[in-house]
Amino acid sequence: MKTTSPEVDAKPVSISARYVAMGIVNPNFDTSETKIMKAIYQSFLPPQTRDLLELVLDRWPVDIALQFQLFVGKVIVVIIGLVYRLLTGKKREASAENFHVPLRKRLIYDSVIKGITHDSVKQVIILGSGFDVLCLQLAKKYPDVLFVEVDHPNMIVTKKKAVGEIYELFDGVSPANHVFLDVDFRSQSVEEQLKNKVQEWKSNKKSMAISEGVWMYLTKEEIRASLRDFKRISSPGSKIVFHYHLKSVIMSSVSPVVRYLMKLIAAESFKYMPETDSEIEELVSFEGFDVEIGEPYNCYNRYIHGQNFEKHMKKYETDLSHFFGVATSIEKKEN
């Protein structure tokens, strides 16, 4: 188990997390089908996601260095679009990656509600919650369920303040079942911080963990360790909803230039991308989980197939079918 550090170094907010949040509020499509693509994007988002996220961003402190990095990223994206148009005579098409964010938000939202209403889930923990508004959406709707947001201390302090102001804006009351937990992942574990700071969390209750946009930044062993940690803090039958990137999808939908910029500007690079669905399934099941990948977590079949806009999305079917799964704990917790 990791040891607790008495002091936490300043760690800036993830640039990619901020960029994703801004993209939800104002989707950036400079394509031949900009209007319809924006409409499709917004239709995938769960209720109130855009409005609540805009309120969070409006209450976020101004960070000049971060704003400059975001500005540079936007300028480079615009330049790439202009160069493409000059070379080809047409605007770029949207890529499958443009729709991963709203689809994963929708699938997580639906999965959590199903877990609460049909599977008796009493605790929901968001690992690396960032700007996510899921707990803000659901805490008051399900007052008997504990919602815990986990992130780095510098992120959590600001997020807690922003969310508190939003609750105050609505009715002045922050629900007791919406809790924020700071964890410096470099020196602390979620398990020990829950034990020390969130007395309401009970390891004998059925729980659900959300791991969105996290595993690709971890090594295989770090993913395994997180799975073992979750088993120790939850009862058998608890679930992890996880998001992953197949290497083939990233290589086909995210250009080498964009991947390089992520590493250069955001100082964030992918550490693990499975080659196949079966690879990630084997990794997770090895730790004592029953893994479901594919139906009913195929986002294309679930949210696009049969819709009147499917003709605009058909070319993304393969890439939008393989990036989500749910793992259910099937063994006794470790001692």
Side-chain angles (χ1 to χ4, degrees), residues 2 215 217-227 271:
K2 297 176 182 178
W215 281 10
Y217 299 113
L218 304 179
T219 64
K220 282 186 178 182
E221 184 48 47
E222 287 171 333
I223 293 173
R224 292 191 180 103
S226 70
L227 292 168
K271 293 182 179 179

Side-chain angles (χ1 to χ4, degrees), residues 12-273:
V13 172
S14 165
I15 294 176
S16 60
R18 181 66 176 263
Y19 201 80
V20 166
M22 292 168 60
I24 291 175
V25 172
N26 184 26
N28 182 23
F29 287 96
D30 181 24
T31 74
S32 56
E33 299 179 302
T34 296
K35 187 175 181 179
I36 184 63
M37 288 305 181
K38 279 190 175 183
I40 293 172
Y41 184 105
Q42 296 288 5
S43 73
F44 292 145
L45 291 171
Q48 297 184 295
T49 298
R50 183 191 178 280
D51 293 341
L52 289 174
L53 190 48
E54 186 171 24
L55 289 174
V56 172
L57 289 174
D58 285 347
R59 285 156 178 77
W60 213 263
V62 175
D63 183 326
I64 301 300
L66 177 62
Q67 293 294 333
F68 177 73
Q69 289 172 308
L70 290 169
F71 172 76
V72 170
K74 285 184 176 181
V75 169
I76 293 174
V77 170
V78 170
I79 292 174
I80 292 173
L82 290 174
V83 171
Y84 181 88
R85 192 179 305 183
L86 287 172
L87 293 176
T88 65
K90 58 183 180 181
K91 293 184 177 181
R92 292 182 302 160
E93 291 187 354
S95 71
E97 190 67 16
N98 291 120
F99 298 98
H100 274 205
V101 171
L103 283 171
R104 72 197 199 201
K105 294 294 182 187
R106 179 61 178 273
L107 184 56
I108 289 171
Y109 181 89
D110 290 347
S111 297
V112 170
I113 289 180
K114 179 178 182 295
I116 293 171
T117 58
H118 296 287
D119 300 326
S120 303
V121 166
K122 293 300 181 183
Q123 301 176 143
V124 177
I125 185 166
I126 316 293
L127 304 172
S129 61
F131 294 92
D132 189 78
V133 294
L134 179 71
C135 297
L136 188 55
Q137 289 166 304
L138 299 180
K140 288 198 171 184
K141 185 175 182 179
Y142 300 103
D144 60 336
V145 177
L146 178 64
F147 292 87
V148 181
E149 295 198 37
V150 178
D151 215 314
H152 194 276
N154 298 310
M155 183 74 192
I156 283 296
V157 168
T158 309
K159 177 77 171 293
K160 183 178 181 179
K161 182 176 183 296
V163 170
E165 291 176 1
I166 294 170
Y167 278 128
E168 185 175 344
L169 178 68
F170 288 150
D171 56 20
V173 180
S174 295
N177 64 320
H178 185 177
V179 177
F180 296 84
L181 179 66
D182 57 284
V183 179
D184 184 352
F185 298 103
R186 297 168 295 181
S187 59
Q188 301 169 329
S189 73
V190 173
E191 179 186 7
E192 67 176 328
Q193 291 297 90
L194 276 174
K195 185 183 299 184
N196 294 335
K197 296 186 176 182
V198 186
Q199 302 303 316
E200 304 94 328
W201 185 276
K202 305 300 180 184
S203 61
N204 60 352
K205 287 187 177 181
K206 189 173 286 189
S207 308
M208 178 174 281
I210 309 302
S211 182
E212 177 196 4
V214 174
W215 281 10
M216 62 282 298
Y217 299 113
L218 304 179
T219 64
K220 282 186 178 182
E221 184 48 47
E222 287 171 333
I223 293 173
R224 292 191 180 103
S226 70
L227 292 168
R228 294 192 292 269
D229 283 348
F230 180 63
K231 292 188 73 175
R232 286 194 291 269
I233 64 171
S234 61
S235 69
S238 294
K239 299 178 182 291
I240 297 182
V241 181
F242 62 89
H243 161 231
Y244 64 96
H245 276 306
L246 288 180
K247 188 175 182 179
S248 59
V249 172
I250 290 296
M251 294 306 170
S252 65
S253 62
V254 181
S255 72
V257 174
V258 173
R259 294 198 300 273
Y260 175 75
L261 290 175
M262 283 181 62
K263 186 174 182 179
L264 180 66
I265 298 176
E268 298 170 353
S269 58
F270 294 157
K271 293 182 179 179
Y272 175 63
M273 293 184 289

